[in-house]
Amino acid sequence: MTLDLFEGLEESALPAMQPLAAGAVLLRGFALAQGAQLLAGVEAVLAQAPLRHLITPGGFRMSVAMSNCGALGWVSDLSGYRYDASDPDSGRPWPPMPAAFRELAAAAARAGGFEGFAPDACLINRYEAGTRLSLHQDRDEGNYDWPIVSVSLGLPAVFLFGGPKRSDKAQRVPLTHGDVVVWGGASRLHYHGVLPVKEGEHPLTGACRINLTFRKAR
Ligand code: SIN
Ligand code: FE2
């Protein structure tokens, strides 16, 4: 059989869902229509809980700047990684997760095969040119029953998606504004990271990439 099926179709009409591994999919452009609304939500959250560079348990300052919204926020300091109901910088609860964030995360999870996802934590990551995130697992959550939903906004980046061991070969997945990656089930604990972001200018975010990572932390 040939690919006659796709002949004459624009590239944009090709399937937008790309499997990465068992339980993991890339949803190309899934958040494109909501990009500006999501970024307005990010701005509102950051006005209450500004971005900061967390310190790792090993004493290093993370190059990715972070904040959170939702009932729980992911934080790191010399005592370890954890989820906290309040912002350690202000002592106040994290700003509530905007409805548009929750709805998008649930819709993306559903498209990835995970019905009923109700995230209680949204980590906001800001990458400036040269910023990277080294290979890691997301394993500070209370259980691994729910997927991770990761939304890319602004400048492009190369996402590394590996396997259950740090030494497993990682796929290089180019992500652009509006792309969403969902991983759960058999790939929930797969190693992942982001290569250094290249310099650039995006009409909605300027010189940076913003990533929203939704989790069910408890
Ligand atoms: C993360 O692993 O927390 C972020 C991934 C990304 O920025 O794409
Ligand atoms: Fe992660």
Side-chain angles (χ1 to χ4, degrees), residues 8-25:
L9 289 184
E10 298 297 323
E11 199 194 337
S12 62
L14 289 170
M17 188 179 306
Q18 297 179 24
L20 297 176
V25 286

Side-chain angles (χ1 to χ4, degrees), residues 84-147:
D84 206 314
S86 54
D87 176 347
D89 281 6
S90 67
R92 293 193 307 259
W94 295 104
M97 198 184 295
F101 284 34
R102 272 188 276 116
E103 285 158 17
L104 177 83
R110 185 179 312 122
F114 302 93
E115 182 69 47
F117 182 52
D120 54 10
C122 171
L123 174 67
I124 300 172
N125 291 315
R126 185 201 60 197
Y127 299 75
E128 291 177 311
T131 302
R132 63 191 285 270
L133 188 63
S134 52
L135 277 182
H136 66 278
Q137 295 169 296
D138 286 8
R139 55 167 196 204
D140 301 315
E141 298 70 35
N143 65 66
Y144 306 129
D145 296 346
W146 292 100

Side-chain angles (χ1 to χ4, degrees), residues 59-71:
F60 294 100
R61 174 186 187 267
M62 295 186 73
S63 68
V64 180
M66 296 179 174
S67 185
N68 292 278
C69 61

Side-chain angles (χ1 to χ4, degrees), residues 123 125 127 133 136 138 150 152 159 175 192 194 209 211 213 215:
L123 174 67
N125 291 315
Y127 299 75
L133 188 63
H136 66 278
D138 286 8
S150 168
S152 291
F159 182 60
L175 296 179
H192 58 279
V194 178
R209 170 178 187 260
N211 168 264
T213 304
R215 291 90 176 251

